[in-house]
Amino acid sequence: MNRIPEYLMDLCNSYLGEHAWELFVRSLCLADANLNGLSNLGVPSDIEKVLIYKVGPIEHTKRWLFSPVPALSYYKPIDIIRNYKEGEVILRTVLMRMP
């Protein structure tokens, strides 16, 4: 795994923790429909559920994963997950901040 860039480290450091993430995931009305569409990409199931809830159908979610995201310093979310051990924490932080 690569070392996380300094400007993404702020996101990692501002993560509210596992308990906050679990409460956040439970607070959303998440259905199990359309899941496992991202597992072959290496996206954890909890993040997949939140992405589908926040971004939309699987096609939209895949497009978001492969697009540069301003909140991630224009990194692609899929690259964050694949290349940094802190990738899941960074994505969780961004997802919890999304309206």
Side-chain angles (χ1 to χ4, degrees):
M1 290 276 160
N2 296 323
R3 185 172 175 176
I4 190 166
E6 188 76 27
Y7 36 88
L8 291 177
M9 192 52 112
D10 288 339
L11 285 171
C12 191
N13 291 335
S14 65
Y15 181 55
L16 298 174
E18 292 299 312
H19 182 69
W21 172 253
E22 290 169 13
L23 289 174
F24 174 73
V25 172
R26 276 189 264 151
S27 73
L28 303 175
C29 297
L30 303 173
D32 287 336
N34 295 326
L35 293 182
N36 297 320
L38 303 175
S39 60
N40 61 329
L41 300 174
V43 177
S45 62
D46 59 338
I47 291 177
E48 179 180 2
K49 288 177 185 179
V50 175
L51 278 171
I52 290 170
Y53 181 85
K54 292 281 193 171
V55 179
I58 197 78
E59 305 82 35
H60 297 261
T61 298
K62 283 183 179 179
R63 190 173 331 130
W64 184 84
L65 281 169
F66 287 91
S67 299
V69 174
L72 295 170
S73 299
Y74 293 93
Y75 277 85
K76 296 175 185 173
I78 196 69
D79 292 337
I80 298 287
I81 289 176
R82 289 178 175 168
N83 297 321
Y84 304 106
K85 70 176 185 173
E86 303 91 344
E88 288 182 33
V89 167
I90 292 168
L91 282 188
R92 287 175 177 182
T93 302
V94 168
L95 289 170
M96 288 175 26
R97 292 179 179 182
M98 286 175 77

